Amino acid sequence: MAHLLRSLLEQAHEAVALALRDGDLAIDATVGNGHDTIHLANCVGASGHVIGCDVQPIAIELARQRLASHGLDDRVTLFESNHDQMNKKWLEKLTPRPLRVVMFNLGYLPGGDHAIRTTKRTTVDALEASYALLDPPGLISVVTYVGHRGAEAERLAVLEWGKALERQWPGVRADRPRILESRFHHADHETGSLILIERPAASVSP
Ligand SMILES: C[S@@+](CC[C@H](N)C(=O)[O-])C[C@H]1O[C@@H](n2cnc3c(N)ncnc32)[C@H](O)[C@@H]1O
């Protein structure tokens, strides 16, 4: 039976689709098999661009093939890199497009080596870089999982990072970051979540 409530990944795709316009720039910080990269490439249109990175050469190659089979390879630049290396240089050739979305799908490559997975330290470093690079109004989407070692600690680290970010904008201010966690509840086991971090328009660095 089909569910009425969307999966976390579907909710993530809907959120980034709402944030993106034709001509925008988006980053896929965990390319994996390239499904999210394809979604982002469709959202930014032919005049937009997507930057994708993954630490695994096999992921970059699989994504490259998948993008080519969808005719989307022209609007995507892939880097074999750790996302904690994300910086302005990645975007330089692609300006003046505004960076509106950075997407993270944490964990390991499905069908790949489960030992190669995201970690809380590099994820938080990459989130920090992402927030600074976003052109407001912009959105960071993070899908977290359970079931592998460190997954719950990584989810909590993302939330802690979000809270610390919010504290930099004390009081009620329109430019304060907004953080939303969407999570299914199961009585008998832990669940992953979708964490959305909005950098509102007119945001000013503290
Ligand atoms: C759950 S998969 C991503 C799924 C993917 N977005 C898709 O649509 O198929 C997580 C990916 O993150 C990659 N990864 C792990 N640590 C990373 C890091 N520090 N920087 C960039 N990619 C990383 C893994 O190699 C893996 O391919």
PDB file of all heavy atoms in Angstrom, residues 29-36 54-56 81-83 105-110 117-118 122, ligand 1:
ATOM      1  N   ALA A  29      27.019  17.260  -1.636  1.00  0.00           N
ATOM      2  CA  ALA A  29      28.230  17.009  -0.843  1.00  0.00           C
ATOM      3  C   ALA A  29      28.517  15.525  -0.645  1.00  0.00           C
ATOM      4  O   ALA A  29      29.576  15.176  -0.102  1.00  0.00           O
ATOM      5  CB  ALA A  29      28.099  17.700   0.520  1.00  0.00           C
ATOM      6  N   THR A  30      27.598  14.661  -1.050  1.00  0.00           N
ATOM      7  CA  THR A  30      27.795  13.205  -0.943  1.00  0.00           C
ATOM      8  C   THR A  30      27.181  12.553  -2.196  1.00  0.00           C
ATOM      9  O   THR A  30      26.060  12.047  -2.157  1.00  0.00           O
ATOM     10  CB  THR A  30      27.097  12.650   0.322  1.00  0.00           C
ATOM     11  OG1 THR A  30      25.758  13.131   0.348  1.00  0.00           O
ATOM     12  CG2 THR A  30      27.803  13.063   1.610  1.00  0.00           C
ATOM     13  N   VAL A  31      27.924  12.549  -3.278  1.00  0.00           N
ATOM     14  CA  VAL A  31      27.356  12.170  -4.585  1.00  0.00           C
ATOM     15  C   VAL A  31      26.866  10.720  -4.622  1.00  0.00           C
ATOM     16  O   VAL A  31      25.794  10.427  -5.160  1.00  0.00           O
ATOM     17  CB  VAL A  31      28.407  12.422  -5.688  1.00  0.00           C
ATOM     18  CG1 VAL A  31      28.052  11.678  -6.970  1.00  0.00           C
ATOM     19  CG2 VAL A  31      28.500  13.916  -5.971  1.00  0.00           C
ATOM     20  N   GLY A  32      27.645   9.787  -4.071  1.00  0.00           N
ATOM     21  CA  GLY A  32      27.233   8.372  -4.065  1.00  0.00           C
ATOM     22  C   GLY A  32      26.875   7.884  -5.450  1.00  0.00           C
ATOM     23  O   GLY A  32      27.649   8.044  -6.402  1.00  0.00           O
ATOM     24  N   ASN A  33      25.696   7.295  -5.589  1.00  0.00           N
ATOM     25  CA  ASN A  33      25.274   6.774  -6.899  1.00  0.00           C
ATOM     26  C   ASN A  33      24.724   7.853  -7.826  1.00  0.00           C
ATOM     27  O   ASN A  33      24.330   7.554  -8.953  1.00  0.00           O
ATOM     28  CB  ASN A  33      24.221   5.678  -6.713  1.00  0.00           C
ATOM     29  CG  ASN A  33      24.840   4.399  -6.198  1.00  0.00           C
ATOM     30  OD1 ASN A  33      25.840   3.920  -6.726  1.00  0.00           O
ATOM     31  ND2 ASN A  33      24.263   3.849  -5.131  1.00  0.00           N
ATOM     32  N   GLY A  34      24.644   9.084  -7.347  1.00  0.00           N
ATOM     33  CA  GLY A  34      24.277  10.199  -8.224  1.00  0.00           C
ATOM     34  C   GLY A  34      22.793  10.502  -8.314  1.00  0.00           C
ATOM     35  O   GLY A  34      22.384  11.379  -9.089  1.00  0.00           O
ATOM     36  N   HIS A  35      21.970   9.818  -7.523  1.00  0.00           N
ATOM     37  CA  HIS A  35      20.517  10.078  -7.638  1.00  0.00           C
ATOM     38  C   HIS A  35      20.160  11.501  -7.195  1.00  0.00           C
ATOM     39  O   HIS A  35      19.359  12.174  -7.848  1.00  0.00           O
ATOM     40  CB  HIS A  35      19.731   9.065  -6.784  1.00  0.00           C
ATOM     41  CG  HIS A  35      19.941   7.653  -7.216  1.00  0.00           C
ATOM     42  ND1 HIS A  35      19.500   7.169  -8.420  1.00  0.00           N
ATOM     43  CD2 HIS A  35      20.588   6.618  -6.617  1.00  0.00           C
ATOM     44  CE1 HIS A  35      19.843   5.898  -8.540  1.00  0.00           C
ATOM     45  NE2 HIS A  35      20.512   5.544  -7.460  1.00  0.00           N
ATOM     46  N   ASP A  36      20.772  11.937  -6.088  1.00  0.00           N
ATOM     47  CA  ASP A  36      20.495  13.308  -5.626  1.00  0.00           C
ATOM     48  C   ASP A  36      21.086  14.337  -6.593  1.00  0.00           C
ATOM     49  O   ASP A  36      20.493  15.397  -6.817  1.00  0.00           O
ATOM     50  CB  ASP A  36      21.087  13.538  -4.223  1.00  0.00           C
ATOM     51  CG  ASP A  36      20.470  12.623  -3.175  1.00  0.00           C
ATOM     52  OD1 ASP A  36      19.270  12.314  -3.294  1.00  0.00           O
ATOM     53  OD2 ASP A  36      21.203  12.212  -2.250  1.00  0.00           O
ATOM     54  N   ASP A  54      32.605  13.419  -3.831  1.00  0.00           N
ATOM     55  CA  ASP A  54      32.568  12.172  -3.062  1.00  0.00           C
ATOM     56  C   ASP A  54      34.014  11.728  -2.879  1.00  0.00           C
ATOM     57  O   ASP A  54      34.861  11.982  -3.738  1.00  0.00           O
ATOM     58  CB  ASP A  54      31.776  11.090  -3.814  1.00  0.00           C
ATOM     59  CG  ASP A  54      31.305   9.972  -2.877  1.00  0.00           C
ATOM     60  OD1 ASP A  54      32.173   9.202  -2.377  1.00  0.00           O
ATOM     61  OD2 ASP A  54      30.092   9.877  -2.642  1.00  0.00           O
ATOM     62  N   VAL A  55      34.278  11.063  -1.741  1.00  0.00           N
ATOM     63  CA  VAL A  55      35.642  10.591  -1.490  1.00  0.00           C
ATOM     64  C   VAL A  55      35.997   9.364  -2.319  1.00  0.00           C
ATOM     65  O   VAL A  55      37.170   9.031  -2.447  1.00  0.00           O
ATOM     66  CB  VAL A  55      35.861  10.237   0.006  1.00  0.00           C
ATOM     67  CG1 VAL A  55      36.098  11.479   0.841  1.00  0.00           C
ATOM     68  CG2 VAL A  55      34.715   9.417   0.558  1.00  0.00           C
ATOM     69  N   GLN A  56      34.985   8.693  -2.889  1.00  0.00           N
ATOM     70  CA  GLN A  56      35.267   7.424  -3.583  1.00  0.00           C
ATOM     71  C   GLN A  56      35.257   7.590  -5.105  1.00  0.00           C
ATOM     72  O   GLN A  56      34.249   8.015  -5.677  1.00  0.00           O
ATOM     73  CB  GLN A  56      34.209   6.385  -3.223  1.00  0.00           C
ATOM     74  CG  GLN A  56      34.195   6.022  -1.762  1.00  0.00           C
ATOM     75  CD  GLN A  56      33.384   4.767  -1.526  1.00  0.00           C
ATOM     76  OE1 GLN A  56      33.741   3.690  -1.989  1.00  0.00           O
ATOM     77  NE2 GLN A  56      32.286   4.917  -0.806  1.00  0.00           N
ATOM     78  N   SER A  81      36.697  14.281  -3.875  1.00  0.00           N
ATOM     79  CA  SER A  81      37.213  15.074  -2.764  1.00  0.00           C
ATOM     80  C   SER A  81      36.387  14.829  -1.512  1.00  0.00           C
ATOM     81  O   SER A  81      35.208  14.464  -1.588  1.00  0.00           O
ATOM     82  CB  SER A  81      37.154  16.559  -3.131  1.00  0.00           C
ATOM     83  OG  SER A  81      37.436  17.363  -2.020  1.00  0.00           O
ATOM     84  N   ASN A  82      37.021  15.081  -0.375  1.00  0.00           N
ATOM     85  CA  ASN A  82      36.304  15.101   0.886  1.00  0.00           C
ATOM     86  C   ASN A  82      35.489  16.405   0.932  1.00  0.00           C
ATOM     87  O   ASN A  82      36.007  17.464   0.566  1.00  0.00           O
ATOM     88  CB  ASN A  82      37.326  15.107   2.037  1.00  0.00           C
ATOM     89  CG  ASN A  82      36.695  14.816   3.367  1.00  0.00           C
ATOM     90  OD1 ASN A  82      35.683  15.407   3.731  1.00  0.00           O
ATOM     91  ND2 ASN A  82      37.287  13.902   4.094  1.00  0.00           N
ATOM     92  N   HIS A  83      34.247  16.331   1.415  1.00  0.00           N
ATOM     93  CA  HIS A  83      33.449  17.573   1.417  1.00  0.00           C
ATOM     94  C   HIS A  83      33.976  18.607   2.416  1.00  0.00           C
ATOM     95  O   HIS A  83      33.595  19.766   2.344  1.00  0.00           O
ATOM     96  CB  HIS A  83      31.951  17.309   1.609  1.00  0.00           C
ATOM     97  CG  HIS A  83      31.590  16.335   2.666  1.00  0.00           C
ATOM     98  ND1 HIS A  83      30.559  15.438   2.514  1.00  0.00           N
ATOM     99  CD2 HIS A  83      32.103  16.099   3.888  1.00  0.00           C
ATOM    100  CE1 HIS A  83      30.453  14.707   3.606  1.00  0.00           C
ATOM    101  NE2 HIS A  83      31.389  15.078   4.443  1.00  0.00           N
ATOM    102  N   ASN A 105      23.677  13.496   2.044  1.00  0.00           N
ATOM    103  CA  ASN A 105      22.971  12.234   2.269  1.00  0.00           C
ATOM    104  C   ASN A 105      24.010  11.355   2.954  1.00  0.00           C
ATOM    105  O   ASN A 105      24.892  10.803   2.293  1.00  0.00           O
ATOM    106  CB  ASN A 105      22.544  11.697   0.899  1.00  0.00           C
ATOM    107  CG  ASN A 105      21.539  10.578   0.980  1.00  0.00           C
ATOM    108  OD1 ASN A 105      21.512   9.829   1.953  1.00  0.00           O
ATOM    109  ND2 ASN A 105      20.740  10.451  -0.056  1.00  0.00           N
ATOM    110  N   LEU A 106      23.950  11.322   4.294  1.00  0.00           N
ATOM    111  CA  LEU A 106      25.071  10.774   5.072  1.00  0.00           C
ATOM    112  C   LEU A 106      25.133   9.244   5.020  1.00  0.00           C
ATOM    113  O   LEU A 106      24.217   8.577   4.561  1.00  0.00           O
ATOM    114  CB  LEU A 106      24.953  11.252   6.525  1.00  0.00           C
ATOM    115  CG  LEU A 106      24.931  12.770   6.722  1.00  0.00           C
ATOM    116  CD1 LEU A 106      24.825  13.112   8.205  1.00  0.00           C
ATOM    117  CD2 LEU A 106      26.173  13.430   6.112  1.00  0.00           C
ATOM    118  N   GLY A 107      26.271   8.729   5.515  1.00  0.00           N
ATOM    119  CA  GLY A 107      26.420   7.272   5.601  1.00  0.00           C
ATOM    120  C   GLY A 107      27.366   6.730   4.555  1.00  0.00           C
ATOM    121  O   GLY A 107      28.329   7.391   4.170  1.00  0.00           O
ATOM    122  N   TYR A 108      27.057   5.521   4.082  1.00  0.00           N
ATOM    123  CA  TYR A 108      27.947   4.837   3.130  1.00  0.00           C
ATOM    124  C   TYR A 108      27.257   4.649   1.780  1.00  0.00           C
ATOM    125  O   TYR A 108      26.030   4.811   1.663  1.00  0.00           O
ATOM    126  CB  TYR A 108      28.407   3.493   3.694  1.00  0.00           C
ATOM    127  CG  TYR A 108      27.266   2.615   4.171  1.00  0.00           C
ATOM    128  CD1 TYR A 108      26.489   1.870   3.270  1.00  0.00           C
ATOM    129  CD2 TYR A 108      26.948   2.542   5.533  1.00  0.00           C
ATOM    130  CE1 TYR A 108      25.452   1.077   3.716  1.00  0.00           C
ATOM    131  CE2 TYR A 108      25.898   1.747   5.973  1.00  0.00           C
ATOM    132  CZ  TYR A 108      25.157   1.018   5.056  1.00  0.00           C
ATOM    133  OH  TYR A 108      24.108   0.248   5.489  1.00  0.00           O
ATOM    134  N   LEU A 109      28.073   4.286   0.802  1.00  0.00           N
ATOM    135  CA  LEU A 109      27.557   4.082  -0.557  1.00  0.00           C
ATOM    136  C   LEU A 109      26.758   2.774  -0.596  1.00  0.00           C
ATOM    137  O   LEU A 109      27.320   1.704  -0.356  1.00  0.00           O
ATOM    138  CB  LEU A 109      28.751   3.998  -1.520  1.00  0.00           C
ATOM    139  CG  LEU A 109      28.459   3.800  -3.005  1.00  0.00           C
ATOM    140  CD1 LEU A 109      27.758   5.008  -3.578  1.00  0.00           C
ATOM    141  CD2 LEU A 109      29.753   3.539  -3.757  1.00  0.00           C
ATOM    142  N   PRO A 110      25.462   2.835  -0.908  1.00  0.00           N
ATOM    143  CA  PRO A 110      24.694   1.583  -0.998  1.00  0.00           C
ATOM    144  C   PRO A 110      25.336   0.661  -2.043  1.00  0.00           C
ATOM    145  O   PRO A 110      25.663   1.091  -3.146  1.00  0.00           O
ATOM    146  CB  PRO A 110      23.303   2.052  -1.467  1.00  0.00           C
ATOM    147  CG  PRO A 110      23.242   3.494  -1.095  1.00  0.00           C
ATOM    148  CD  PRO A 110      24.647   4.014  -1.201  1.00  0.00           C
ATOM    149  N   ARG A 117      32.469   5.847   5.097  1.00  0.00           N
ATOM    150  CA  ARG A 117      31.209   6.557   5.376  1.00  0.00           C
ATOM    151  C   ARG A 117      31.518   7.929   5.970  1.00  0.00           C
ATOM    152  O   ARG A 117      32.647   8.199   6.389  1.00  0.00           O
ATOM    153  CB  ARG A 117      30.343   5.737   6.332  1.00  0.00           C
ATOM    154  CG  ARG A 117      31.078   5.360   7.597  1.00  0.00           C
ATOM    155  CD  ARG A 117      30.210   4.511   8.506  1.00  0.00           C
ATOM    156  NE  ARG A 117      30.918   4.240   9.725  1.00  0.00           N
ATOM    157  CZ  ARG A 117      31.366   3.034  10.074  1.00  0.00           C
ATOM    158  NH1 ARG A 117      31.165   2.001   9.304  1.00  0.00           N
ATOM    159  NH2 ARG A 117      32.015   2.885  11.212  1.00  0.00           N
ATOM    160  N   THR A 118      30.497   8.737   5.997  1.00  0.00           N
ATOM    161  CA  THR A 118      30.674  10.087   6.534  1.00  0.00           C
ATOM    162  C   THR A 118      30.966  10.011   8.035  1.00  0.00           C
ATOM    163  O   THR A 118      30.568   9.057   8.698  1.00  0.00           O
ATOM    164  CB  THR A 118      29.405  10.932   6.285  1.00  0.00           C
ATOM    165  OG1 THR A 118      28.285  10.235   6.837  1.00  0.00           O
ATOM    166  CG2 THR A 118      29.177  11.169   4.801  1.00  0.00           C
ATOM    167  N   THR A 122      34.066  15.554   9.845  1.00  0.00           N
ATOM    168  CA  THR A 122      34.114  16.136   8.491  1.00  0.00           C
ATOM    169  C   THR A 122      32.747  16.681   8.074  1.00  0.00           C
ATOM    170  O   THR A 122      32.659  17.680   7.370  1.00  0.00           O
ATOM    171  CB  THR A 122      34.621  15.104   7.462  1.00  0.00           C
ATOM    172  OG1 THR A 122      33.874  13.908   7.601  1.00  0.00           O
ATOM    173  CG2 THR A 122      36.095  14.822   7.624  1.00  0.00           C
TER     174      THR A 122
HETATM  175  C1  LIG B   1      24.415   7.521   1.375  1.00  0.00           C
HETATM  176  S1  LIG B   1      25.686   7.753   0.145  1.00  0.00           S
HETATM  177  C2  LIG B   1      25.075   9.074  -0.827  1.00  0.00           C
HETATM  178  C3  LIG B   1      23.915   8.695  -1.727  1.00  0.00           C
HETATM  179  C4  LIG B   1      23.802   9.598  -2.922  1.00  0.00           C
HETATM  180  N1  LIG B   1      23.567  10.974  -2.608  1.00  0.00           N
HETATM  181  C5  LIG B   1      22.861   9.095  -4.001  1.00  0.00           C
HETATM  182  O1  LIG B   1      21.964   9.822  -4.425  1.00  0.00           O
HETATM  183  O2  LIG B   1      23.047   7.952  -4.421  1.00  0.00           O
HETATM  184  C6  LIG B   1      26.977   8.564   1.043  1.00  0.00           C
HETATM  185  C7  LIG B   1      28.190   8.886   0.197  1.00  0.00           C
HETATM  186  O3  LIG B   1      29.014   9.770   0.942  1.00  0.00           O
HETATM  187  C8  LIG B   1      30.343   9.529   0.557  1.00  0.00           C
HETATM  188  N2  LIG B   1      31.230  10.092   1.573  1.00  0.00           N
HETATM  189  C9  LIG B   1      31.604   9.574   2.765  1.00  0.00           C
HETATM  190  N3  LIG B   1      32.397  10.440   3.416  1.00  0.00           N
HETATM  191  C10 LIG B   1      32.539  11.530   2.623  1.00  0.00           C
HETATM  192  C11 LIG B   1      33.243  12.771   2.744  1.00  0.00           C
HETATM  193  N4  LIG B   1      33.926  13.044   3.856  1.00  0.00           N
HETATM  194  N5  LIG B   1      33.185  13.647   1.717  1.00  0.00           N
HETATM  195  C12 LIG B   1      32.454  13.376   0.601  1.00  0.00           C
HETATM  196  N6  LIG B   1      31.773  12.214   0.425  1.00  0.00           N
HETATM  197  C13 LIG B   1      31.802  11.313   1.432  1.00  0.00           C
HETATM  198  C14 LIG B   1      30.425   8.015   0.458  1.00  0.00           C
HETATM  199  O4  LIG B   1      31.522   7.625  -0.332  1.00  0.00           O
HETATM  200  C15 LIG B   1      29.065   7.694  -0.163  1.00  0.00           C
HETATM  201  O5  LIG B   1      29.174   7.562  -1.550  1.00  0.00           O
END
